[in-house]
């Protein structure tokens, strides 16, 4: 976690009640799980903070889904049940299933396949008309328009959120929310960011805006809204925190799940390249995104000196954020719990630095809560039937002991 102190005294008077903003970056489903765990720790540890009562929420990609949930009054602990503890549904509420994000984009495939005969005929006509003066490769280039723009359907995001917000006290309409919510996507034809939730873009359903913001190019097809096509909101910026800062917030909480993995921290001879192409591409993307965050935070500290900015990120030696299997229920639980515990530890280790900053806004760290090494976020998994040696209980005890030692060392 990185903190920013104002460079000079603010000329703008403080509000009687502090204006607090949240800016949540993307990171895919695993990034959403991290943000849930971190937000749950923050919610428990900071007295006077209500994460469901912020002045403004800004969400990008997966962060848009979490921001929309907070703006709808869903607490981080409730999100943990919806997104992580999704093995049972006691209340009849729609639960998140990772499989809904991995449905093939059949509609996109059908549209491109239907265009193939026409494009092939055009290519053949071009080649014949040029009578050999143009290579076959140049003629066949016309077929590139038949390639799908994405392989997975993003409709699962829209459908899940639409159902989740279709209950009493929640809304899928930006205009009906009591708190300001902004979800950023990128206009594919101009490359410019678009702020859904602002005038002219607040009629779009929240669920559809979140789908557009999460439409990673090449993975998901662009999302058509009012005749325009939108893709991932992180193309221009990772956090778009300036949107909240321009609203004049006094305290801004930023969460960025994407950090490069430091393999040498856990394995001195570790090599990311041993993980193959996916690991190399993931590490490259993480390094690029994180460098943008660092530059952005430095600029925010200069341009918005009147605002305290707290940035929460996973540790770069957190292997769970790099290797977790999304489809494994146990892995999702472990990563969410890890995010929760690591955020609690960071708050404890930086308590002397954070206390005066939070006090300026009438907030305080609950030190007894942070010292309590027995606290957990996710419910304990039932021991396996063949766990006759009690290894699950032993593992749980060792985890608590490790947390206690870290707190004592801090």
């Amino acid at each position: 976690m990185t903190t920013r102190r104002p460079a000079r005294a603010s000329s703008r008077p403080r509000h009687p009640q502090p204006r607090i903003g949240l800016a949540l970056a993307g990171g895919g489903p695993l990034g959403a799980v991290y943000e849930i765990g971190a937000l749950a720790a923050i919610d428990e540890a900071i007295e006077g903070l209500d994460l469901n009562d912020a002045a403004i929420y800004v969400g990008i990609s997966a962060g848009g889904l979490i921001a929309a949930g907070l703006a709808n009054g869903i607490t981080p602990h409730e999100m943990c049940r919806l997104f992580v503890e999704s093995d049972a549904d006691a209340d009849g509420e729609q639960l998140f299933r990772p499989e809904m994000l991995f449905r093939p984009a059949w509609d996109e495939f059908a549209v491109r396949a239907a265009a193939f005969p026409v494009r092939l005929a055009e290519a053949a006509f071009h080649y014949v008309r040029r009578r050999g003066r143009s290579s076959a490769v140049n003629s066949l280039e016309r077929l590139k328009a038949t390639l799908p723009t994405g392989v997975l359907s993003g409709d699962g995001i829209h459908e899940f959120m639409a159902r989740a917000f279709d209950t009493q006290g929640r809304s899928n309409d930006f205009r009906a929310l009591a708190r300001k919510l902004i979800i950023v996507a990128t206009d594919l034809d101009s490359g410019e960011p678009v702020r859904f939730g602002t005038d002219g873009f607040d009629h779009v359903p929240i669920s559809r805006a979140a789908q557009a913001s999460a439409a990673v190019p090449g993975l998901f097809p662009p999302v058509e809204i009012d005749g325009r096509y939108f893709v991932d909101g992180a193309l221009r910026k990772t956090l778009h925190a300036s949107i909240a800062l321009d609203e004049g917030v006094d305290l801004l909480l930023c969460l960025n799940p994407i950090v490069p993995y430091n393999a040498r921290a856990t394995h001195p001879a570790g090599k990311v390249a041993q993980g193959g192409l996916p690991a190399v591409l993931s590490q490259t993307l993480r390094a690029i995104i994180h460098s943008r965050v660092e530059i952005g935070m430095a600029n925010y500290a200069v341009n918005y000196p009147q605002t305290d900015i707290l940035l929460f990120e996973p540790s770069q030696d957190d292997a769970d954020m790099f290797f977790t299997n999304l489809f494994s229920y146990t892995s999702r639980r472990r990563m969410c719990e890890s995010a929760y515990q690591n955020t609690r530890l960071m708050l404890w280790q930086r308590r002397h630095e954070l206390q005066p900053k939070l006090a300026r806004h009438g907030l305080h760290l609950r030190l007894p809560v942070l010292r309590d090494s027995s606290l957990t976020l996710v419910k304990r998994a039932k021991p396996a039937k063949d766990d006759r040696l009690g290894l699950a209980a032993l593992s749980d005890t060792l985890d608590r002991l490790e947390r206690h030692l870290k707190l004592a060392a801090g």
Side-chain angles (χ1 to χ4, degrees), residues 73-238:
I74 305 175
T75 69
H77 287 73
E78 290 171 338
M79 288 188 201
C80 180
R81 185 182 66 81
L82 290 172
F83 289 91
V84 181
E85 301 284 8
S86 54
D87 61 334
D89 187 2
D91 300 326
E93 187 163 15
Q94 173 70 20
L95 298 179
F96 176 78
R97 307 289 182 186
E99 299 79 28
M100 68 177 60
L101 299 178
F102 292 87
R103 298 190 316 219
W106 296 120
D107 290 344
E108 174 69 8
F109 296 159
V111 169
R112 301 294 167 172
F116 183 80
V118 176
R119 294 293 184 177
L120 182 60
E122 290 177 351
F125 178 76
H126 177 269
Y127 183 73
V128 172
R129 183 170 59 87
R130 299 289 293 179
R131 297 182 179 179
R133 289 175 294 172
S134 176
S135 68
V137 173
N138 288 337
S139 298
L140 290 175
E141 186 180 4
R142 286 157 175 72
L143 294 178
K144 65 184 181 182
T146 64
L147 294 175
T149 57
V151 295
L152 300 176
S153 172
D155 288 338
I157 298 174
H158 162 63
E159 294 165 1
F160 166 74
M161 294 182 68
R163 287 193 295 266
F165 296 157
D166 186 25
T167 60
Q168 186 175 4
R170 302 177 189 172
S171 176
N172 199 28
D173 189 332
F174 286 100
R175 298 164 296 187
L177 296 178
R179 302 290 173 252
K180 191 167 187 176
L181 169 67
I182 306 294
I183 296 178
V184 183
T186 303
D187 186 314
L188 182 61
D189 293 311
S190 68
E192 294 298 320
V194 172
R195 303 175 180 182
F196 289 104
T198 59
D199 291 342
F201 296 97
D202 55 358
H203 66 286
V204 177
I206 295 172
S207 56
R208 189 65 76 185
Q211 178 189 354
S213 182
V216 178
L219 188 61
F220 298 103
V223 178
E224 182 180 3
I225 299 175
D226 296 339
R228 299 169 63 178
Y229 291 87
F230 298 92
V231 293
D232 196 340
L235 262 60
R236 292 289 294 270
K237 295 181 181 179
T238 303

Side-chain angles (χ1 to χ4, degrees), residues 86-385:
S86 54
D87 61 334
D89 187 2
D91 300 326
E93 187 163 15
Q94 173 70 20
L95 298 179
F96 176 78
R97 307 289 182 186
E99 299 79 28
M100 68 177 60
L101 299 178
F102 292 87
R103 298 190 316 219
W106 296 120
D107 290 344
E108 174 69 8
F109 296 159
V111 169
R112 301 294 167 172
F116 183 80
V118 176
R119 294 293 184 177
L120 182 60
E122 290 177 351
F125 178 76
H126 177 269
Y127 183 73
V128 172
R129 183 170 59 87
R130 299 289 293 179
R131 297 182 179 179
R133 289 175 294 172
S134 176
S135 68
V137 173
N138 288 337
S139 298
L140 290 175
E141 186 180 4
R142 286 157 175 72
L143 294 178
K144 65 184 181 182
T146 64
L147 294 175
T149 57
V151 295
L152 300 176
S153 172
D155 288 338
I157 298 174
H158 162 63
E159 294 165 1
F160 166 74
M161 294 182 68
R163 287 193 295 266
F165 296 157
D166 186 25
T167 60
Q168 186 175 4
R170 302 177 189 172
S171 176
N172 199 28
D173 189 332
F174 286 100
R175 298 164 296 187
L177 296 178
R179 302 290 173 252
K180 191 167 187 176
L181 169 67
I182 306 294
I183 296 178
V184 183
T186 303
D187 186 314
L188 182 61
D189 293 311
S190 68
E192 294 298 320
V194 172
R195 303 175 180 182
F196 289 104
T198 59
D199 291 342
F201 296 97
D202 55 358
H203 66 286
V204 177
I206 295 172
S207 56
R208 189 65 76 185
Q211 178 189 354
S213 182
V216 178
L219 188 61
F220 298 103
V223 178
E224 182 180 3
I225 299 175
D226 296 339
R228 299 169 63 178
Y229 291 87
F230 298 92
V231 293
D232 196 340
L235 262 60
R236 292 289 294 270
K237 295 181 181 179
T238 303
L239 280 165
H240 289 274
S242 58
I243 296 175
L245 292 167
D246 287 338
E247 290 287 319
V249 296
D250 301 305
L251 175 66
L252 179 63
L253 306 181
C254 301
L255 273 74
N256 172 46
I258 305 300
V259 298
Y261 175 57
N262 185 357
R264 297 191 185 280
T266 50
H267 303 284
K271 305 292 184 182
V272 171
Q274 293 177 352
L277 180 61
V280 172
L281 292 178
S282 176
Q283 181 76 328
T284 302
L285 181 62
R286 288 168 177 271
I288 293 173
I289 290 177
H290 193 250
S291 67
R292 292 197 313 181
V293 172
E294 291 177 326
I295 294 172
M297 296 302 293
N299 290 334
Y300 296 148
V302 174
N303 296 328
Y304 302 91
Q306 71 277 15
T307 303
D308 285 308
I309 305 175
L310 307 183
L311 173 64
F312 294 84
E313 295 180 321
S315 172
Q316 293 190 15
D317 61 359
D318 188 350
D320 281 341
M321 284 299 297
F322 202 77
F323 297 110
T324 293
N325 175 13
L326 173 65
F327 293 96
S328 169
Y329 166 66
T330 302
S331 296
R332 296 201 307 274
R333 292 179 66 258
R334 185 181 66 248
M335 197 191 77
C336 191
E337 182 67 26
S338 175
Y340 170 79
Q341 296 296 346
N342 288 340
T343 303
R344 282 168 40 84
L345 180 61
M346 281 188 277
L347 289 168
W348 171 258
Q349 292 174 336
R350 294 178 178 266
R351 61 192 182 279
H352 300 301
E353 176 187 355
L354 291 174
Q355 285 281 38
K357 289 179 170 60
L358 294 173
R360 284 199 288 268
H361 310 290
L363 307 176
H364 305 278
L365 286 176
R366 295 187 175 103
L367 297 183
V369 171
L370 293 176
R371 283 197 300 262
D372 190 348
S373 59
S374 67
L375 293 179
T376 60
L377 175 60
V378 300
K379 64 184 180 182
R380 298 177 183 176
K382 296 180 180 179
K385 295 181 179 180

